[in-house]
Amino acid sequence: MAVNTSKYPAIQGKNLVLFARKLAEAKNKRGMPVPYQTSLDFEPQRDSKTDATKDGYVSKQSPLQTDLKFEFVNNWSEIADKLQMSLFNGDKMEFWIVNYQRRNDKGQCFAYYMRGTVSEDDIDGDPDDVSNRKTTISVDGTPVMGWTTLTDEEEEMLAYVFRGVGAIGETPKEDGTDGNGTPWKDTDAGTGVAYDTSKATTPTGTAGGINQHQ
């Protein structure tokens, strides 16, 4: 049976974004995305053991264990420092793996939520590359699944809206028309008009100080 790829699209790794927050600051701070993330590994696992008895084999399962590891370009953002403080001071942290691509009917993003402390925070400093950090979290208990709402600012951080090359003015509209642009539509596929590049002016719009007709 063929998979309905429009209903169940393949999840792109770039759309899984890690947010974090110091648990003690949950009252007045939002979770923050870790800047410059380059990798994310989320590995829930449960070991099982089979014992032989006189009545047959009995399977036993251990409690769920979860490994959370991620890498990011070293920086001095607030959350990057809080992660290191969790290692030094044992501060409990909250973590969300937000799937920006998967939404519910309210527009909320699917997310895994968990708590834990930083157990490793390796920093490299190669002279011919940017400094990177590899961070490992000791997750407490069992992660839970749910849906979370992102602010407009967080949405903008995770998704670009098309802009034309023109100046956007004092108040961006963020609807694809800023900078004298026109957002792409599905019906635009395969369309276009050939332009004589020997002409001295651009075909449409306003560019280079020359006004053109629409």
Side-chain angles (χ1 to χ4, degrees), residues 7-29:
K7 186 176 181 180
Y8 307 113
I11 297 171
Q12 303 296 315
K14 66 180 181 179
N15 290 321
L16 299 178
V17 182
L18 184 72
F19 284 65
R21 175 175 64 194
K22 185 177 177 180
L23 181 60
E25 297 176 340
K27 183 177 180 179
N28 52 24
K29 279 187 179 289

Side-chain angles (χ1 to χ4, degrees), residues 83-99:
L83 288 168
Q84 199 162 65
M85 291 164 63
S86 173
L87 176 62
F88 294 160
N89 303 330
D91 297 332
K92 191 76 69 179
M93 303 286 292
E94 295 178 289
F95 298 94
W96 296 260
I97 298 176
V98 176
N99 185 337

Side-chain angles (χ1 to χ4, degrees), residues 18-22 25 32-35 37 68 70-75 77-95 116-121 133-137:
L18 184 72
F19 284 65
R21 175 175 64 194
K22 185 177 177 180
E25 297 176 340
M32 293 169 274
V34 178
Q37 296 174 41
L68 176 61
F70 53 95
E71 298 183 26
F72 60 101
V73 176
N74 198 7
N75 63 85
S77 64
E78 178 181 353
I79 193 58
D81 286 345
K82 292 290 174 64
L83 288 168
Q84 199 162 65
M85 291 164 63
S86 173
L87 176 62
F88 294 160
N89 303 330
D91 297 332
K92 191 76 69 179
M93 303 286 292
E94 295 178 289
F95 298 94
T117 54
V118 177
S119 58
E120 293 184 46
D121 191 35
R133 286 171 61 175
K134 299 178 181 179
T135 305
T136 302
I137 309 302

Side-chain angles (χ1 to χ4, degrees), residues 55-202:
D55 298 312
Y57 289 95
V58 176
S59 178
K60 297 185 294 185
Q61 290 188 329
S62 65
L64 184 73
Q65 294 180 318
T66 302
D67 294 330
L68 176 61
K69 301 178 182 178
F70 53 95
E71 298 183 26
F72 60 101
V73 176
N74 198 7
N75 63 85
W76 56 76
S77 64
E78 178 181 353
I79 193 58
D81 286 345
K82 292 290 174 64
L83 288 168
Q84 199 162 65
M85 291 164 63
S86 173
L87 176 62
F88 294 160
N89 303 330
D91 297 332
K92 191 76 69 179
M93 303 286 292
E94 295 178 289
F95 298 94
W96 296 260
I97 298 176
V98 176
N99 185 337
Y100 180 75
Q101 189 177 352
R102 182 180 180 183
R103 306 286 181 119
N104 64 9
D105 56 5
K106 298 178 182 179
Q108 296 174 304
C109 296
F110 176 82
Y112 295 99
Y113 171 75
M114 64 207 85
R115 298 178 184 179
T117 54
V118 177
S119 58
E120 293 184 46
D121 191 35
D122 298 333
I123 301 175
D124 65 36
D126 296 337
D128 58 349
D129 199 359
V130 295
S131 175
N132 292 282
R133 286 171 61 175
K134 299 178 181 179
T135 305
T136 302
I137 309 302
S138 295
V139 176
D140 299 336
T142 302
V144 292
M145 299 181 292
W147 305 89
T148 187
T149 301
L150 300 182
T151 65
D152 291 342
E153 182 180 2
E154 289 162 349
E155 292 273 10
E156 290 175 13
M157 289 173 61
L158 299 178
Y160 293 118
V161 175
F162 182 80
R163 285 179 174 176
V165 299
I168 64 174
E170 294 293 332
T171 307
K173 298 184 291 295
E174 301 295 351
D175 60 358
T177 64
D178 287 321
N180 197 27
T182 300
W184 178 270
K185 306 182 298 295
D186 288 344
T187 54
D188 287 340
T191 64
V193 178
Y195 174 64
D196 184 354
T197 57
S198 66
K199 294 180 180 180
T201 58
T202 53

